[in-house]
Amino acid sequence: MSHAKYETPEFEEEVTSHTLTLRGPRLTAALAFVTGTGFTLFGYDQGVMGSLLTAKQFEKTFPQIIVTNEHKDHATLQSLLVAIYEIGCLIGALSNLWVGDRLGRRRTIVLGGVIMIVGAILQATSFSYAQMLVARVITGLGNGLNTSTVPAYHAECSPAAHRGSLIMIEGSLITFGIMWIDFALFWADDSSAQWRVPVALQILFALVMIFTIGFLPESPRWLLKANRPAEAMAVISALDDKPISDTEVRRTFHAISEAVAMEGGSIKFQAEATNEKNTSKSTEFSLKELFTGGRSQNFRRVTLGVVIQCFQQITGINLITYYATLLFERLGINDVNSRIIAACNATEYFMASIIAIFIIDRIGRRKLMLFGATGQCLTMVLLAILGSISNSAARVVSAVLLFVFNSFFAVGWLGMTWLYPAEITGLRVRGPANALSTASNWMWNFLVVMITGPSFANIQWRTYIVFASLNAMIIPAVYLFFPETAGRSLEDMDVVFALAYNEGISPVTVSLRKDVPLAGSPEADRILGFENNSDSNSGSGSN
């Protein structure tokens, strides 16, 4: 494949005109800050409702959520108020099937932030149950757009060696600061500020995200899809803090270019070496591409992204995220102490999540997922056993086990499911695939949150048995079907799946091998099906 058009002085001059001020570690830090703010907003908005459910002023404004012997049906209304948010997130994520690649990563994030601000204002000014339901759906729309875009944007702008740890920072920030803010305002029980201020605070995070993302570049992968190669080259150069003549910069650029060409993107290559006419496919994306096989194995890869997001939710984490205070109260702990313990639980959750940041790129994705699922399964078994025993000692140990469950989840699954779908899918389908995988997260999130209240009301401690079984099922599924992505560029995963297809073996097996050639190399070109043009590329080494 010829890349002669990208070796001309005119192209280099155009690249120079797009040179970025932020470069290297400063640019990487800025990306982490902005995407981290987006996920802090996500985590805050998701978790803030948990502590408000038993706040006196919140109950006064929304009496429909108070569950009593006379109004047992209020358990469903309480769950609906929490879970309706997931419906908004689901719709927002699915809308990214059509919006994301048209607007680009940055503008989609800005749109999501603006919608979340509108929703937050409506929530903070709610005076009726119906208004709060509508407001939470609107907020969810914005969050659905953000959560299906932010991880992909960050992954596409991160170096392979540190991509896992950088995106795990986003996972950690999901847990940051939620419970303590609620607890601090718990004492304002003579004013509706007790719940309105925590709800309104999310506007601050959204404003910071919207303002600061304007200083960041667009994803180089999206720029090449949008046929803006000079800007893409400038961004790659800035991310690596190397000149455009650098071998690694050019190899990365050509690897992405080939991924676009292979999957029918808009960038067109001149086949001068073979005297062929341009045979680039149509640039118009079709949802049917999500269901294709062949070398790209799109259907398999999209399915892995959808399934891993489902797995995260069926672990049972949102039993604690949304209902921590209620769970501690069910253990016989009074209102104030329940909130103190819930706040400590959230703090410990955040601290445990930091562990994953430092080990994910060394240990890999698969081992952390297996570790987390095994620990979660055993913890749920113990919670079920202790739940069947009614004495103070069992209740104390159960409270401790909620901390233990959070720790296993924080290390193995908290940030993993936002990282993995972006890594596992190809460039052509990454936007729509992330929309579907994120929609899967919110759909299963809605299901779990909706059934939790009625489940504890009807089968009590046996609820833990259900989630223990689901965690047990996750272990063999991850071991057999989920390839390792650590240490590989996003385009390297195209080579892994193509090689698995060519050899008729599992991508898991190929992903664990050390002899897979780097994307952008002549060997990788042959694996991806560029055999006819590989000779013209060989003269430029790894470019």
Side-chain angles (χ1 to χ4, degrees):
M1 179 179 296
S2 172
H3 298 295
K5 65 188 272 187
Y6 302 122
E7 309 293 339
T8 64
E10 292 79 11
F11 179 73
E12 293 187 5
E13 184 177 340
E14 188 180 356
V15 173
T16 303
S17 70
H18 294 290
T19 299
L20 301 176
T21 304
L22 277 175
R23 301 181 67 82
R26 288 171 57 213
L27 178 55
T28 299
L31 282 161
F33 173 78
V34 175
T35 55
T37 302
F39 261 59
T40 301
L41 174 61
F42 155 42
Y44 185 90
D45 194 60
Q46 184 184 36
V48 71
M49 195 57 62
S51 287
L52 298 182
L53 289 176
T54 55
K56 301 307 178 188
Q57 287 294 324
F58 195 76
E59 290 179 339
K60 181 179 178 181
T61 308
F62 309 108
Q64 296 89 343
I65 67 165
I66 303 173
V67 182
T68 63
N69 291 331
E70 295 78 25
H71 297 287
K72 288 187 176 179
D73 59 315
H74 281 194
T76 302
L77 294 177
Q78 183 189 78
S79 292
L80 179 63
L81 184 67
V82 176
I84 198 71
Y85 173 71
E86 272 70 49
I87 295 299
C89 292
L90 173 64
I91 297 169
L94 288 175
S95 68
N96 227 1
L97 285 168
W98 298 276
V99 172
D101 279 338
R102 285 182 171 86
L103 293 181
R105 311 302 189 226
R106 292 193 311 161
R107 284 185 290 181
T108 301
I109 293 168
V110 170
L111 176 62
V114 170
I115 294 173
M116 288 195 76
I117 289 173
V118 173
I121 292 171
L122 291 174
Q123 281 190 75
T125 57
S126 290
F127 285 92
S128 72
Y129 181 80
Q131 182 183 348
M132 179 58 87
L133 288 180
V134 172
R136 282 183 63 73
V137 170
I138 293 172
T139 310
L141 285 171
N143 194 49
L145 282 170
N146 283 346
T147 53
S148 57
T149 306
V150 170
Y153 173 60
H154 201 184
E156 290 181 342
C157 295
S158 299
H162 305 294
R163 186 174 58 242
S165 59
L166 288 170
I167 295 179
M168 280 295 169
I169 293 173
E170 294 174 13
S172 295
L173 291 172
I174 293 174
T175 68
F176 183 68
I178 297 168
M179 297 295 184
W180 285 110
I181 292 174
D182 289 341
F183 179 73
L185 288 159
F186 171 65
W187 304 103
D189 57 2
D190 58 345
S191 168
S192 63
Q194 184 186 40
W195 66 270
R196 295 188 193 276
V197 171
V199 169
L201 274 175
Q202 61 192 287
I203 297 172
L204 178 62
F205 296 114
L207 288 172
V208 171
M209 179 183 69
I210 291 169
F211 177 75
T212 53
I213 201 168
F215 296 95
L216 298 180
E218 183 54 87
S219 155
R221 270 85 178 178
W222 183 84
L223 287 169
L224 272 167
K225 281 185 69 176
N227 203 16
R228 292 156 63 178
E231 292 176 64
M233 177 71 93
V235 174
I236 294 169
S237 171
L239 288 168
D240 289 350
D241 197 16
K242 295 176 181 176
I244 61 173
S245 59
D246 182 80
T247 302
E248 261 318 286
V249 170
R250 290 191 172 274
R251 188 189 65 76
T252 300
F253 177 81
H254 294 323
I256 301 171
S257 302
E258 287 164 358
V260 175
M262 182 183 70
E263 297 179 2
S266 59
I267 195 165
K268 297 177 177 63
F269 292 95
Q270 298 171 341
E272 298 128 342
T274 54
N275 238 358
E276 295 176 0
K277 292 181 181 179
N278 193 310
T279 56
S280 182
K281 293 182 239 177
S282 168
T283 64
E284 190 67 29
F285 175 78
S286 170
L287 290 179
K288 291 189 293 185
E289 295 177 45
L290 297 171
F291 302 97
T292 56
R295 283 189 176 96
S296 66
Q297 297 199 53
N298 281 341
F299 179 69
R300 181 174 192 142
R301 297 164 77 175
V302 171
T303 300
L304 287 171
V306 170
V307 170
I308 196 173
Q309 289 280 26
C310 163
F311 282 175
Q312 186 197 59
Q313 294 305 311
I314 64 175
T315 59
I317 184 58
N318 281 324
L319 296 181
I320 303 168
T321 301
Y322 285 111
Y323 297 107
T325 304
L326 289 175
L327 286 175
F328 288 122
E329 287 183 2
R330 284 194 182 104
L331 294 173
I333 302 169
N334 67 43
D335 194 15
V336 175
N337 287 339
S338 291
R339 289 174 180 277
I340 293 174
I341 297 173
C344 292
N345 182 270
T347 303
E348 186 273 338
Y349 188 18
F350 169 69
M351 293 174 68
S353 69
I354 295 173
I355 297 171
I357 296 173
F358 294 100
I359 64 175
I360 185 169
D361 286 316
R362 275 182 264 171
I363 292 179
R365 286 44 163 167
R366 282 166 49 87
K367 289 179 181 177
L368 283 189
M369 285 191 280
L370 292 169
F371 168 78
T374 302
Q376 289 156 196
C377 175
L378 295 174
T379 306
M380 284 291 184
V381 169
L382 292 174
L383 281 167
I385 293 170
L386 292 167
S388 66
I389 303 170
S390 182
N391 61 49
S392 59
R395 286 194 289 270
V396 169
V397 177
S398 293
V400 172
L401 285 174
L402 293 177
F403 282 72
V404 173
F405 182 90
N406 268 1
S407 299
F408 280 115
F409 181 86
V411 173
W413 287 87
L414 175 61
M416 188 71 69
T417 53
W418 303 105
L419 165 69
Y420 197 83
E423 292 186 316
I424 205 69
T425 49
L427 176 58
R428 172 76 167 170
V429 301
R430 186 170 296 129
N434 270 270
L436 286 176
S437 65
T438 307
S440 169
N441 181 287
W442 294 117
M443 181 180 71
W444 288 97
N445 195 326
F446 172 78
L447 177 66
V448 170
V449 174
M450 272 303 295
I451 67 172
T452 295
S455 179
F456 273 107
N458 289 283
I459 63 173
Q460 299 173 344
W461 56 267
R462 296 172 184 84
T463 302
Y464 293 122
I465 298 176
V466 175
F467 288 103
S469 303
L470 292 171
N471 277 285
M473 176 200 70
I474 290 171
I475 298 168
V478 168
Y479 183 81
L480 293 172
F481 300 113
F482 284 75
E484 183 58 70
T485 59
R488 300 189 187 278
S489 75
L490 300 181
E491 288 67 43
D492 286 341
M493 293 310 299
D494 293 334
V495 182
V496 167
F497 279 93
L499 185 58
Y501 174 79
N502 294 345
E503 297 183 1
I505 60 177
S506 168
V508 175
T509 303
V510 176
S511 73
L512 299 174
R513 283 165 42 179
K514 305 296 184 185
D515 63 342
V516 179
L518 296 176
S521 66
E523 295 86 356
D525 286 354
R526 286 189 283 273
I527 292 169
L528 293 168
F530 292 122
E531 300 95 339
N532 293 335
N533 296 324
S534 60
D535 289 341
S536 66
N537 201 28
S538 61
S540 59
S542 60
N543 284 0

